Amino acid sequence: RGKDEKYRVRMPKLRMVKEYKDKRKSVDDVERNTFKFKKSSEEKSKKMDKEEKLFRETFMYEKEIRVLARATAGRSVPSLRSADLPLTAGEQLDVIDAVQGHAVICRNAQGRYGYVLVEHLNFR
């Protein structure tokens, strides 16, 4: 034996309670999910900006985008033209502008814009 080992004090290994270990792991997972959430929200905002730019070019819309009302889609309707917004039943829509006739410009949760007939919407 060496001189150093002679004076070394043996410390018992502390046992960690299993519940505490699991709790610590779950806290670490939550922190990781927080960072993922922030990353996805940044990607989502970039996508929304891209959709808004495409909307302004397609519809030649130069006014400020303001939400006039909220509506839900009464039934599912496929889009017949590229300017129409496809709907699914129960989908939440933001009404952006009321245009001539029976159509309004709406935005869905994914950030896509398009024309929707008023008869397909339920206002609360």
Side-chain angles (χ1 to χ4, degrees):
R1 289 187 178 190
K3 203 176 189 182
D4 296 332
E5 289 182 25
K6 187 176 179 184
Y7 297 107
R8 185 186 293 173
V9 179
R10 288 192 69 189
M11 295 288 289
K13 239 185 181 182
L14 297 175
R15 305 253 184 235
M16 196 180 292
V17 180
K18 192 173 186 179
E19 294 172 11
Y20 177 74
K21 228 184 215 181
D22 295 338
K23 190 182 253 187
R24 194 178 75 191
K25 283 181 184 177
S26 66
V27 170
D28 292 343
D29 293 341
V30 170
E31 288 175 9
R32 287 187 192 122
N33 289 339
T34 306
F35 294 123
K36 286 182 184 178
F37 176 75
K38 288 180 182 178
K39 185 177 179 183
S40 67
S41 66
E42 287 177 11
E43 291 173 359
K44 191 173 183 178
S45 66
K46 286 180 184 178
K47 185 177 179 184
M48 294 282 263
D49 291 340
K50 183 180 175 184
E51 289 288 342
E52 183 179 332
K53 184 179 177 184
L54 183 68
F55 161 71
R56 289 187 181 279
E57 291 173 358
T58 306
F59 291 86
M60 291 180 264
Y61 195 83
E62 296 180 5
K63 296 186 264 180
E64 179 185 352
I65 296 176
R66 287 191 357 236
V67 177
L68 301 176
R70 280 218 137 163
T72 56
R75 58 183 174 184
S76 297
V77 179
S79 62
L80 301 175
R81 303 176 298 168
S82 62
D84 292 338
L85 186 64
L87 300 177
T88 56
E91 182 178 18
Q92 294 285 326
L93 300 169
D94 296 331
V95 178
I96 304 299
D97 196 6
V99 196
Q100 78 281 358
H102 298 284
V104 291
I105 297 175
C106 291
R107 174 178 61 200
N108 65 6
Q110 288 80 31
R112 291 196 56 208
Y113 295 84
Y115 290 114
V116 177
L117 294 177
V118 176
E119 61 195 41
H120 299 306
L121 299 176
N122 296 327
F123 295 93
R124 290 183 183 175

